Amino acid sequence: MSRAFNFAAGPATLPEAVLRQAQEEMLEWNGVGASIVEISHRGAEFMEVARQAEADLRTLMSIPDDYAVLFLAGGATLQQALIPLNFAAPGQAADYVVTGHWGKTAIKQARTYVDARIAADGESSGFHDIPPRSEWRLTPGAAYVHYTANETIHGVEFRDIPDVGDAPLVADFSSSIAAEPLDVSRFGVIYGGAQKNLGPVGVTVVIVRRDLLERAGQPRADIMNYRSHVAGESMLNTPPTWNWYLAGLVFKWMLAEGGVDEFARRNARKSALLYGAIDGSGGFYRNDVVPAARSRMNVPFFLHDPALDAAFLKESKAAGLLALKGHRVLGGMRASIYNAMPEAGVQALVDFMRDFQNRHG
Ligand SMILES: *Cc1c(COP(=O)(O)O)cnc(C)c1O
């Protein structure tokens, strides 16, 4: 068996140690005589897995007690619809800062329910930068301000938490959650699908400041109500037990590796290595994002001659470097280098890029 380095944007690579443990436990888990996917989510055994996963995520991200943590199905996109339903009155204004594709998705999901306003938009500059905070047009009395901490496709990442005054800050952290220490207390809501940085697809983490759960929001079914999900401990209906368990193994792995401080150091080294190789290639490779807004998680890059793209993809795959094809919105290449991507993987990519340039430059 040979596992390649997988640069997929999501579902993305998982720590090998976690996959090995899941494999060992697949047929029979924890002495219960069945696998974890075959037991009741309401039984004492799974309840303990759920409790431990939440406790470990709270430790990992230093989540204060006045925040609830939910593990839900439906992905980040569902949360983009639930957020206006739960936290805004019908037709109330809500501000959106759009710095790439996923900010646009968020506003699209919200438009049915709220007066979703674009407070700032990086599209006119090709999403190569974050519009300066001084130019944002925030609405007085807005229900919340939403932004995308890391734009997975455009490779644009906020390196600071924006100050937006009294409105709760709602942030999509799908592709950068737990990549570095974060002051959770600055946020109203943090959400993220697990399949980028936390585990497998199928479970989404929502971290919500408890006072926001008192908001009336809009008419909605119980299953779309965060308050009900909190009361029901994320088990209003059958939760994605396997995905929850696997995410829990990732949290334990991250804690054992040294927690978010250690991942912040690794992520800084990995992204510096890759951007250094791109910028140092004399124009053979190119990344168009301004350096201060470059993502440490997703690195889109272009070859100087798109006619070489096919050869780059074919040869990189043969060299054991998977899924470097860029998102269809942008074309070119993209390397996603989340927490679970080892430094050796980025080194192998950089070595391959130099070698490819030598042969095709
Ligand atoms: C992947 C992604 C999403 C969409 O996630 P789903 O789980 O597919 O709904 C939303 N926002 C960001 C930043 C993402 O990276």
Side-chain angles (χ1 to χ4, degrees), residues 74-78 80 102 148 150 152 172 174-175 193 195-196 204:
T77 310
L78 178 64
Q80 294 176 338
W102 293 111
T148 313
N150 180 64
T152 317
D172 180 355
S174 291
S175 51
Q195 71 268 29
K196 284 41 181 280
T204 301

Side-chain angles (χ1 to χ4, degrees), residues 262 325 334:
E262 172 60 15
K325 190 172 169 49
R334 171 175 53 170

